[in-house]
Amino acid sequence: MLKNNKYVSYLLVLVFVLLLNFWLPRLLPGGPVEYITGGGEEGVVFLTEAQKAAMLEYYHLDQTVGVQFIEYLKGIFTFDFGLSINYKAPVYTIIIERLPWTICIVGISSILSIIIGLLAGLYSAWRYPGKTDRSLFLSMLSLSTIPEFLIGMILLISMSVKLKWLPLSGAQTAFLRSDLWIDHAMDIARHAVLPALTLTIGSLAGIYLLMRNEAIRVRNEPYIEFASAKGMGSRGIVFQHIARNAALPLVTMIIIRMGALMAGSILVETVFAYPGVGKLLQEAILARDYPLLHGLFLMMTLFVLLLNLIADIIYPYLDPRIRTAVKRGELG
């Protein structure tokens, strides 16, 4: 029964978000035609009334909202949202071209933030209470208050503008004069350093605080004192007992936070002009590109819901107590 209710709740959330997905772009002031004729930052482009009417008809924007909504629902089931108004290409193709860049920096930052956050949280909990733990705790707490776009700007000014260590923007150097794949790979890696580092710093504090608090709770359990009394070393206690038991409740939170990294990539990619999905979403909002916005919102919604579903599915297998409670709920 509990399992069925969980899936129903996911379905209801998906339906609500899909409805919101259709209406939100249309609540923005102006529209695609207004953007092209002077509503955006690209300057004024003159269009005759006949050209405006032809454009609205081509993208089915001259139809009633009800007809547009039906076309939108058809696009959801067929994953075909038509042509992008701004890019004059299929929405699916544009998203697929941009997606690998976002996966690159989000994947790197996820791995780094999880490893560093868990280790720092363990170390801080083991030093609790003490000056080391207090200093690390206050540093991470202060770091969590800094928005990601500000972190990105600081790194951009210091490492790119002042020190000139890393590229200023983009994902790769245009017209790179080299036929060696290693040179192109290194060039892509250098461009990804600052966006990935920004996302890592922005999400590091949250994982650290979760691990620290849970590790402190586990450290006070009787079996930790018993292991210490048996003569087990500090390293064995930390990694064999505290780390294993403290990390278990954090699995779902870490998976869910990966969805937050996808959302955070929007600001980070905008700061570094990184051509990922986040930058594409910003461009689509400015251009009032309804088809592209529909496709991007749907992709992000499915990604976040899928992560939450994965967390709900794997957690009972990690914790026998949760699995037993679920089985009792199903039997009841």
Side-chain angles (χ1 to χ4, degrees):
M1 185 67 180
L2 291 174
K3 191 174 181 180
N4 292 334
N5 289 338
K6 178 176 65 178
Y7 292 144
V8 169
S9 64
Y10 275 108
L11 182 61
L12 291 176
V13 170
L14 179 60
V15 171
F16 174 75
V17 173
L18 290 177
L19 294 175
L20 198 64
N21 183 12
F22 175 79
W23 290 104
L24 273 180
R26 287 163 175 78
L27 293 177
L28 294 171
V33 173
E34 287 76 13
Y35 173 81
I36 293 174
T37 57
E41 300 177 354
E42 300 296 328
V44 177
V45 176
F46 178 77
L47 293 178
T48 64
E49 293 300 324
Q51 289 174 322
K52 292 179 183 179
M55 179 180 173
L56 292 174
E57 181 181 0
Y58 183 79
Y59 292 104
H60 307 290
L61 297 177
D62 60 332
Q63 299 174 346
T64 62
V65 176
V67 174
Q68 291 182 45
F69 182 68
I70 293 174
E71 292 295 325
Y72 164 74
L73 293 178
K74 290 180 181 178
I76 291 175
F77 290 106
T78 60
F79 285 93
D80 180 16
F81 293 96
L83 294 177
S84 165
I85 299 174
N86 192 35
Y87 289 93
K88 310 297 187 296
V91 170
Y92 177 81
T93 303
I94 299 171
I95 294 177
I96 291 300
E97 288 176 354
R98 297 288 193 98
L99 190 57
W101 299 113
T102 297
I103 292 176
C104 174
I105 61 173
V106 170
I108 293 172
S109 59
S110 297
I111 295 172
L112 291 177
S113 60
I114 290 171
I115 294 175
I116 298 172
L118 293 182
L119 292 177
L122 268 177
Y123 180 74
S124 186
W126 184 248
R127 293 293 183 178
Y128 173 86
K131 291 183 179 180
T132 303
D133 167 66
R134 192 158 51 248
S135 300
L136 194 55
F137 175 75
L138 292 175
S139 299
M140 289 292 184
L141 202 62
S142 302
L143 188 63
S144 65
T145 62
I146 306 176
E148 289 177 333
F149 77 89
L150 184 57
I151 296 174
M153 290 299 297
I154 294 172
L155 292 177
L156 185 68
I157 294 173
S158 60
M159 294 189 178
S160 294
V161 178
K162 297 294 184 181
L163 299 175
K164 301 186 185 302
W165 287 349
L166 295 166
L168 192 63
S169 62
Q172 54 187 335
T173 302
F175 310 110
L176 182 63
R177 296 181 179 179
S178 177
D179 295 329
L180 300 176
W181 69 268
I182 187 65
D183 291 336
H184 289 273
M186 289 299 296
D187 181 63
I188 291 173
R190 291 180 69 249
H191 282 82
V193 168
L194 289 183
L197 183 60
T198 302
L199 285 174
T200 301
I201 295 174
S203 60
L204 182 62
I207 297 176
Y208 159 82
L209 292 171
L210 289 171
M211 186 60 182
R212 174 187 177 273
N213 295 338
E214 191 63 26
I216 290 175
R217 183 191 66 78
V218 173
R219 186 185 172 188
N220 294 325
E221 294 291 334
Y223 61 84
I224 300 297
E225 296 182 6
F226 181 70
S228 179
K230 287 196 307 180
M232 181 177 287
S234 300
R235 182 175 298 179
I237 293 175
V238 170
F239 289 102
Q240 293 183 28
H241 293 286
I242 297 179
R244 288 178 60 183
N245 291 279
L248 187 61
L250 300 182
V251 172
T252 54
M253 293 302 300
I254 290 173
I255 294 176
I256 293 172
R257 280 186 174 274
M258 290 175 64
L261 279 174
M262 176 68 78
S265 68
I266 298 174
L267 293 176
V268 172
E269 289 178 4
T270 302
V271 169
F272 294 100
Y274 198 78
V277 172
K279 184 68 167 61
L280 183 64
L281 178 61
Q282 182 244 1
E283 295 169 356
I285 292 174
L286 289 177
R288 308 298 189 266
D289 195 335
Y290 297 155
L292 187 53
L293 286 173
H294 292 160
L296 288 170
F297 283 148
L298 177 61
M299 184 206 68
M300 291 184 174
T301 300
L302 293 176
F303 179 75
V304 173
L305 288 179
L306 181 61
L307 288 177
N308 282 268
L309 182 60
I310 291 173
D312 283 342
I313 291 175
I314 68 172
Y315 191 60
Y317 291 97
L318 297 174
D319 193 339
R321 295 169 298 178
I322 301 297
R323 185 164 63 249
T324 303
V326 171
K327 288 181 178 179
R328 288 175 180 174
E330 290 175 349
L331 292 175

